[in-house]
Amino acid sequence: MAEAKKQAEQHIIDREGEKLLRAKLPQHWLLRDYRPDYGLDFTIETFKTGVAADGKLKTYETLGEHVFVQLKSVAEPMPAPLTLYGRGNVEKAPEQLERKNKAGDVETYRFQLETSELVTVERMGIGVPVLLVIADLANERCSFVCLNDYIDKILIPRHADYRDKASRTIHVPVRNEIGSDMGQVALRWYAKRPKLLAAFQRFTYQYSELQWAQDSDWRGLANYFARRIAAYDFWEDAEMCVPIAYDAAGLRRFIEIGQPGFFTRPAEIPDGFDEASLTAHCEKLDVFELWRLLSLLPKTYEDVWREWFLPTALGELTSAP
């Protein structure tokens, strides 16, 4: 007797994995299918909670923030420890592990990902994060790693050409768990990446233009620049990144009282200095210090923050609980 079409067990596992991922995300966030699928399965859109005008009902306002998800569901994965070793800045040289400098061990899922999928993510650039999510059905856990950063900070520095094999093993830290406090912070941080990168571009532009305007109306220009960047909504929603909050406080002070308060005039003034000129000079240095700090944010982002939540020594040092 002829048989009918059959359903593979992996199809059931995949459906269960999607259900698990949806259950782990905040209820007011959206998980949307991304079809047709060329390596990207879903998008996550984040929302913030508010209160309606009557003060009773909650509202949920979109933040305009999105991440892509590549979901891999596994019935009974077997995580194992990965030893992390110190290394230099891989933006400046290929990876050279310092075997005598052990940074720690981290439990990871090992997953073989086709190189074609990795190349697709690499071609997207880093503007919108793509998260590889392992749905561990046995332990009802969803763990993630950012593939854009994994490629840039691990695969490319580690291999002469990571594309020379049909697949590569990706290590997904178990502790990067969606639904945990750490996982929630990480997802919010990744979702802000497009708006942060856009803001960083403006900060460096403004700092450069202020330097050109030092002998003209630099304060008028700074006032205009400040009003432009004060409108960014991440200033009050990036508590996971202390330097951003620090710069935000300086920006608020500049708008409110005309000085960010990073640089103050020396208490004692040597003889021969004109007090009014010295005061004006110190106020100028103070304002320029604000934009210097803002222009440093993209450099720190590239050197440090993109390794947050990665299975690297720097990731362990800066983002481990």
Side-chain angles (χ1 to χ4, degrees):
M1 180 177 178
E3 294 183 336
K5 290 281 188 178
K6 297 179 180 179
Q7 179 178 199
E9 182 181 13
Q10 187 60 46
H11 293 166
I12 299 174
I13 293 174
D14 289 344
R15 289 201 298 271
E16 290 302 308
E18 180 181 344
K19 285 171 57 178
L20 180 61
L21 175 59
R22 289 185 183 276
K24 293 293 183 180
L25 291 172
Q27 288 186 338
H28 57 289
W29 287 15
L30 291 182
L31 182 70
R32 294 190 178 92
D33 290 348
Y34 201 73
R35 297 289 183 268
D37 173 15
Y38 294 99
L40 303 174
D41 298 316
F42 303 97
T43 59
I44 296 173
E45 182 177 0
T46 65
F47 288 72
K48 68 177 181 179
T49 304
V51 181
D54 60 11
K56 298 178 181 179
L57 296 177
K58 289 185 177 180
T59 61
Y60 304 101
E61 180 182 355
T62 180
L63 292 167
E65 300 171 357
H66 306 262
V67 294
F68 287 113
V69 170
Q70 190 175 100
L71 180 63
K72 303 296 183 182
S73 302
V74 186
E76 295 183 359
M78 299 181 64
L82 172 69
T83 299
L84 305 176
Y85 297 99
R87 60 181 190 167
N89 187 338
V90 294
E91 284 302 312
K92 298 179 180 180
E95 178 183 75
Q96 289 191 349
L97 295 178
E98 301 165 0
R99 297 290 180 179
K100 295 182 179 180
N101 179 16
K102 180 179 176 180
D105 296 300
V106 58
E107 288 285 314
T108 68
Y109 297 107
R110 275 77 164 165
F111 196 89
Q112 288 292 124
L113 208 57
E114 293 181 7
T115 302
S116 60
E117 294 182 280
L118 294 169
V119 170
T120 298
V121 174
E122 183 186 0
R123 286 179 174 177
M124 292 174 63
I126 70 164
V128 180
V130 179
L131 305 184
L132 172 63
V133 177
I134 303 298
D136 178 347
L137 300 186
N139 294 292
E140 297 187 341
R141 181 167 55 210
C142 287
S143 299
F144 64 87
V145 76
C146 178
L147 284 177
N148 319 64
D149 297 342
Y150 199 102
I151 293 168
D152 262 2
K153 304 298 184 180
I154 297 177
L155 293 183
I156 291 177
R158 181 167 295 171
H159 305 283
D161 184 0
Y162 81 87
R163 306 169 193 83
D164 62 7
K165 290 187 177 180
S167 64
R168 287 289 178 182
T169 300
I170 306 300
H171 291 264
V172 180
V174 173
R175 69 180 177 219
N176 290 0
E177 185 178 351
I178 295 175
S180 67
D181 290 341
M182 176 179 174
Q184 182 76 352
V185 167
L187 290 186
R188 289 176 51 230
W189 174 248
Y190 284 126
K192 296 181 189 305
R193 176 172 291 187
K195 59 176 63 173
L196 287 175
L197 293 182
F200 293 164
Q201 173 67 22
R202 176 163 280 163
F203 297 160
T204 57
Y205 167 79
Q206 289 184 345
Y207 184 46
S208 175
E209 292 303 306
L210 275 175
Q211 290 175 310
W212 278 103
Q214 289 194 62
D215 297 326
S216 57
D217 183 19
W218 61 266
R219 183 171 285 279
L221 189 60
N223 287 334
Y224 179 74
F225 283 168
R227 291 194 298 272
R228 292 294 305 274
I229 63 177
Y232 290 131
D233 66 355
F234 60 75
W235 294 122
E236 305 298 332
D237 194 36
E239 79 289 341
M240 70 287 291
C241 186
V242 173
I244 290 179
Y246 180 78
D247 293 349
L251 178 62
R252 285 194 298 271
R253 290 192 296 268
F254 175 70
I255 292 174
E256 292 170 3
I257 62 175
Q259 294 298 140
F262 294 134
F263 185 92
T264 58
R265 198 186 74 166
E268 296 184 5
I269 304 173
D271 294 337
F273 280 88
D274 178 72
E275 187 164 338
S277 298
L278 182 60
T279 298
H281 178 67
C282 291
E283 290 178 351
K284 178 180 176 181
L285 289 178
D286 184 32
V287 174
F288 276 61
E289 178 65 7
L290 169 60
W291 266 270
R292 188 188 72 83
L293 292 173
L294 290 172
S295 71
L296 287 178
L297 292 177
K299 299 177 183 179
T300 309
Y301 191 92
E302 189 61 47
D303 273 348
V304 180
W305 300 337
R306 284 189 63 204
E307 288 201 41
W308 281 359
F309 313 109
L310 289 185
T312 65
L314 185 58
E316 180 75 7
L317 177 66
T318 58
S319 60

